[in-house]
Amino acid sequence: MIEDKSPQRTSIAQLGEFGLIDHLTKNFEINQPSTLKGIGDDAAVLDFKDKKVVISTDLLIEGVHFDLAYMPLKHLGYKAVVVNISDICAMNAKATQITVSVAVSNRFPLEALDELFAGITHAANEYKVDVIGGDTTSSQKGLIISITAIGEADEEEIVYRNGAKQTDLLVVTGDLGAAYMGLQVLEREKQVFQVNPNSQPDLDAYTYLIERQLKPEARKDVRTLLHALEIKPTSMIDISDGLSSEIMHLCKQSKVGCNLYEDKLPIDPQFINVCEEFNIDSTTVAINGGEDYELLFTIAMEDFEKIKGNPNFTIIGHMTQESEGIHLVTRANTRIALKARGWDAIREE
């Protein structure tokens, strides 16, 4: 495909704030019966009747959370929605609406925002959520995206972080670490490109890892899967900052300890190969990498037979008394104190 070296660039100043809002939101459709009024008034109006409402919000900042050198704007829009919906899934709830706010500098033409909102629209359609409002403003530097996700659930369905009990089993969905290694591949190729702009990367051997980084998916299916198995988790969290960090959140909130078993960690063969290529320990990445957006949860021991052998879930450990601490049990049966080495948004470099 031949790249257009002179793409159309429409200044967003030509439209003004309200013209821009009309332009960017014209493709959003209302799908949820709980949305009485979406975009177009001073506030959205929702009606959840006897359902409980769950709300989560995230801020994504260029240069901190994403790099447009290798993150296509359409993928960025999609991912921005998904990471918020993942938080709703982690409450065992159903996502229903989102609001979208963006701040952009004048280096972004209208066509760039069209790409961003195409990704947002695709995610909204894929996850059946209504875009009901937001805000647009200018930024002195770079792109900032803030998305708030809203969901619903019956009170008895909601799962918190603080319900894990001693002897509960620790369970995770999917596989771990792939998103982090996808990021390492993209960062390496960026550095190669900066040295030699004529270099064209061959990424065929990294497709799964790159997709996990650029286009993650929220596990909206888990709520249905667990309901069909007649299992309600005792605690749950999504894996955004790394498995070790999330385990420590569950333990702290639930006042329990944990044994995590190295030989039980679910990891993809492509992930193992690329860890070897980068000379990085696969276990270290799997427990600290982050951005997997899988769900980590605990279940009562008596639910073991219901979940045993299910390909959607892997039992990776069990909870203990708080006094026993939080440990990784290695393949050599050595207990190592688990530390949170995942992403910390405030930590100094």
Side-chain angles (χ1 to χ4, degrees):
M1 183 175 179
I2 299 174
E3 181 182 358
D4 184 357
K5 298 298 184 182
S6 301
Q8 182 179 352
R9 290 179 60 88
T10 304
S11 169
I12 58 178
Q14 294 179 16
L15 283 78
E17 181 181 2
F18 298 110
L20 178 62
I21 292 171
D22 289 342
H23 177 87
L24 294 177
T25 61
K26 63 186 177 184
N27 294 322
F28 293 140
E29 300 176 352
I30 299 300
N31 295 296
Q32 296 291 334
S34 53
T35 305
L36 300 185
K37 178 64 177 178
I39 296 169
D41 218 305
D42 291 295
V45 181
L46 309 179
D47 179 12
F48 287 94
K49 296 182 171 62
D50 56 351
K51 297 278 188 179
K52 299 301 178 184
V53 180
V54 294
I55 301 173
S56 181
T57 191
D58 265 321
L59 193 63
L60 299 176
I61 299 175
E62 183 179 356
V64 177
H65 301 100
F66 59 88
D67 187 336
L68 292 178
Y70 48 73
M71 170 65 83
L73 284 165
K74 188 172 183 178
H75 285 72
L76 176 61
Y78 189 92
K79 183 174 181 177
V81 174
V82 164
V83 301
N84 280 272
I85 291 177
S86 182
D87 285 330
I88 304 300
C89 296
M91 300 297 293
N92 202 36
K94 173 190 173 186
T96 50
Q97 289 92 7
I98 59 172
T99 65
V100 179
S101 297
V102 295
V104 292
S105 67
N106 58 12
R107 72 181 171 89
F108 291 91
L110 179 63
E111 289 74 19
L113 288 183
D114 280 341
E115 280 291 296
L116 179 70
F117 272 74
I120 293 171
T121 303
H122 182 55
N125 292 336
E126 190 73 19
Y127 286 88
K128 302 293 189 294
V129 296
D130 295 338
V131 183
I132 59 168
D135 193 17
T136 57
T137 189
S138 59
S139 165
Q140 289 187 334
K141 182 180 179 182
L143 173 64
I144 301 170
I145 308 169
S146 176
I147 291 185
T148 297
I150 302 163
E152 65 176 28
D154 293 331
E155 186 171 9
E156 62 271 17
E157 293 177 315
I158 297 175
V159 178
Y160 301 95
R161 296 180 181 181
N162 63 359
K165 304 290 191 297
Q166 298 173 24
T167 75
D168 278 359
L169 300 175
L170 184 65
V171 185
V172 71
T173 63
D175 59 78
L176 303 169
Y180 178 85
M181 289 312 298
L183 179 62
Q184 300 314 301
V185 170
L186 291 168
E187 286 284 355
R188 181 184 67 183
E189 296 306 321
K190 174 188 173 182
Q191 293 173 15
V192 171
F193 178 79
Q194 288 173 339
V195 173
N196 180 13
N198 294 319
S199 172
Q200 292 297 316
D202 182 2
L203 301 176
D204 288 346
Y206 314 105
T207 52
Y208 178 67
L209 307 184
I210 291 173
E211 182 177 4
R212 290 282 279 175
Q213 170 59 219
L214 296 185
K215 190 177 176 289
E217 300 292 352
R219 294 306 302 263
K220 66 174 183 176
D221 59 321
V222 169
R223 183 171 182 261
T224 303
L225 290 168
L226 291 174
H227 181 76
L229 293 171
E230 298 182 342
I231 294 174
K232 181 187 176 182
T234 53
S235 67
M236 184 149 61
I237 191 171
D238 77 325
I239 303 176
S240 55
D241 300 331
L243 178 68
S244 57
S245 295
E246 316 306 1
I247 288 176
M248 297 186 80
H249 283 310
L250 291 184
C251 289
K252 181 179 179 181
Q253 295 276 335
S254 298
K255 294 181 170 55
V256 294
C258 179
N259 284 330
L260 169 68
Y261 292 89
E262 182 182 19
D263 62 350
K264 301 297 184 184
L265 295 172
I267 50 182
D268 186 82
Q270 188 176 101
F271 164 78
I272 296 173
N273 293 337
V274 178
C275 282
E276 291 175 353
E277 179 184 338
F278 277 72
N279 196 27
I280 299 176
D281 179 67
S282 60
T283 297
T284 300
V285 176
I287 65 176
N288 296 307
E291 288 202 294
D292 293 309
Y293 300 104
E294 296 293 345
L295 294 181
L296 177 73
F297 58 94
T298 54
I299 62 172
M301 182 70 77
E302 51 263 34
D303 286 332
F304 171 72
E305 292 296 331
K306 298 177 184 177
I307 208 169
K308 179 181 68 174
N310 191 302
N312 297 287
F313 308 113
T314 304
I315 299 170
I316 59 173
H318 63 86
M319 315 315 277
T320 63
Q321 293 182 18
E322 185 177 20
S323 60
E324 291 189 24
I326 307 169
H327 292 91
L328 172 70
V329 181
T330 69
R331 293 183 179 90
N333 205 31
T334 302
R335 284 160 51 91
I336 301 173
L338 199 64
K339 296 182 179 180
R341 302 185 188 278
W343 168 255
D344 184 336
I346 309 299
R347 183 177 60 198
E348 293 183 4
E349 295 296 328

